């Protein structure tokens, strides 16, 4: 059975999961969600299996993913699964996926899964490094293999109950949605910036340009922090909560700038 996986990634965790599932299943297309957001037309999914893979933001899904789900028609799809990658709490994001799909479709998710990955949001907690990253990714690979066999057999997997995550979503997500596009006002750029333009290249929403050699943000931010985490000299900081100065950076080791550029194109 053919599989189509729609994905959104900020630092490569969700893309890495999508790739590994593709490699195990075979006959799978990866479709970047960013590449479908230039129009407001309905998105009709192909027949077969359909997956949605994305990170958790404020106990929900990224705004760009929620908007995508509102346009997705899964009418002839045999099996729909959702996967969220997370460094902390966020199982309620799967319920959000399911409920949003049901706004347009007779059925939501047939199955939903969580995959724990290295944290990539320094304002909340310092990203892991060294052996800790390897340990987390090794455990994730085991979970990906388990999940992929469930997907291969099109088994239903009930979405669990996540009371703490659901409470966090209730408290945090509305404010996140209202403020996310202008959250880029909280980024700052230090004099160590080399004008390399990597931040421009990796931004999935083309929210950044270079002006006089420095990144300028244009209020289409998804707060994915690709610019923050891919900057080779850590010249970009995010002045939220604990801030990011001296708190380390992370992106999936095998996801490159070229991969991030590819997220914007079919």
């Amino acid at each position: 059975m053919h599989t189509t996986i729609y994905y959104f990634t900020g630092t490569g965790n969700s893309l890495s999961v999508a790739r590994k599932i593709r490699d195990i299943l075979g006959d799978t297309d990866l479709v970047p969600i960013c590449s479908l957001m230039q129009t407001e037309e309905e998105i009709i999914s192909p027949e077969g299996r359909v997956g949605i893979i994305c990170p958790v933001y404020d106990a929900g899904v990224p705004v760009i993913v929620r908007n995508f789900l509102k346009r997705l028609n899964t009418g002839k799809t045999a099996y729909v699964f959702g996967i969220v990658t997370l460094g902390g709490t966020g199982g309620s994001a799967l319920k959000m996926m399911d409920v949003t799909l049901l706004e347009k479709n007779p059925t939501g998710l047939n199955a939903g899964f969580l995959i724990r990955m290295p944290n990539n949001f320094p304002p909340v907690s310092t990203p892991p490094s060294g052996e800790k990253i390897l340990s987390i990714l090794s455990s994730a690979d085991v979970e990906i293999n388990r999940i992929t066999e469930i997907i291969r057999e099109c088994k239903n997997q009930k979405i669990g109950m996540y009371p703490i995550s659901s409470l966090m979503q209730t408290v945090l997500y509305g404010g996140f949605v209202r403020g996310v596009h202008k959250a880029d006002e909280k980024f700052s750029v230090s004099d160590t910036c080399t004008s390399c333009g990597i931040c421009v290249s990796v931004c999935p929403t083309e929210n950044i340009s270079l002006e006089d050699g420095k990144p300028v943000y244009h209020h289409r931010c998804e707060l994915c922090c690709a610019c923050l985490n891919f900057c080779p000299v850590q010249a970009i900081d995010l002045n939220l909560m604990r801030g990011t100065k001296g708190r380390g950076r992370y992106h999936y080791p095998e996801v490159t700038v070229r991969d991030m550029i590819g997220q914007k194109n079919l």
Side-chain angles (χ1 to χ4, degrees), residues 1-76:
M1 183 185 295
H2 181 74
T3 304
T4 302
I5 296 177
Y6 298 100
Y7 75 90
F8 174 77
T9 197
T11 57
N13 284 338
S14 294
L15 174 56
S16 72
V17 172
R19 283 175 164 175
K20 290 176 181 180
I21 292 174
R22 175 197 62 191
D23 293 345
I24 297 170
L25 286 179
D27 191 19
T28 298
D29 291 327
L30 302 187
V31 180
I33 288 173
C34 291
S35 69
L36 302 172
M37 304 310 289
Q38 302 304 314
T39 71
E40 297 182 358
E41 296 176 359
E42 179 182 60
I43 300 165
I44 300 175
S45 64
E47 295 185 27
R49 306 183 193 94
V50 165
I52 302 102
I53 303 180
C54 70
V56 171
Y57 290 174
D58 273 12
V61 299
V63 171
I64 192 171
V65 175
R66 192 182 67 164
N67 291 340
F68 159 78
L69 292 170
K70 290 176 179 290
R71 295 166 50 203
L72 183 62
N73 183 334
T74 61
K76 294 186 178 181

Side-chain angles (χ1 to χ4, degrees), residues 171-190:
V171 173
L172 298 175
Y173 192 76
F176 169 74
V177 172
R178 289 189 295 273
V180 66
H181 294 323
K182 289 192 175 182
D184 56 17
E185 294 175 347
K186 298 295 185 179
F187 285 104
S188 62
V189 183
S190 73

Side-chain angles (χ1 to χ4, degrees), residues 55-223:
V56 171
Y57 290 174
D58 273 12
V61 299
V63 171
I64 192 171
V65 175
R66 192 182 67 164
N67 291 340
F68 159 78
L69 292 170
K70 290 176 179 290
R71 295 166 50 203
L72 183 62
N73 183 334
T74 61
K76 294 186 178 181
T77 302
Y79 181 79
V80 183
F81 63 93
I83 299 175
V84 294
T85 58
L86 68 169
T89 300
S92 57
L94 287 172
K95 186 64 176 178
M96 180 177 287
M97 266 193 199
D98 185 49
V99 170
T100 307
L101 282 171
L102 285 168
E103 292 177 9
K104 187 178 182 67
N105 300 281
T107 58
L109 296 178
N110 295 101
F113 310 96
L114 307 176
I115 298 181
R116 193 160 300 281
M117 299 290 278
N119 170 61
N120 58 6
F121 195 61
V124 171
S125 61
T126 301
S129 59
E131 291 297 321
K132 181 64 174 177
I133 287 180
L134 296 178
S135 175
I136 295 171
L137 294 180
S138 177
S139 297
D141 285 345
V142 172
E143 185 65 2
I144 290 166
N145 288 335
R146 183 189 74 84
I147 287 170
T148 304
E149 291 312 307
I150 294 172
I151 293 168
R152 187 195 304 278
E153 298 175 18
C154 296
K155 291 182 178 179
N156 288 341
Q157 175 90 14
K158 187 177 180 180
I159 297 172
M161 299 292 292
Y162 304 96
I164 295 176
S165 177
S166 296
L167 177 60
M168 290 176 62
Q169 187 183 106
T170 300
V171 173
L172 298 175
Y173 192 76
F176 169 74
V177 172
R178 289 189 295 273
V180 66
H181 294 323
K182 289 192 175 182
D184 56 17
E185 294 175 347
K186 298 295 185 179
F187 285 104
S188 62
V189 183
S190 73
D191 292 339
T192 60
C193 174
T194 63
S195 305
C196 68
I198 286 177
C199 55
V200 177
S201 298
V202 299
C203 179
T205 60
E206 299 185 334
N207 183 46
I208 308 172
S209 63
L210 284 188
E211 297 183 13
D212 296 325
K214 301 296 181 183
V216 174
Y217 293 80
H218 299 285
H219 309 320
R220 297 187 297 271
C221 188
E222 289 289 330
L223 210 57

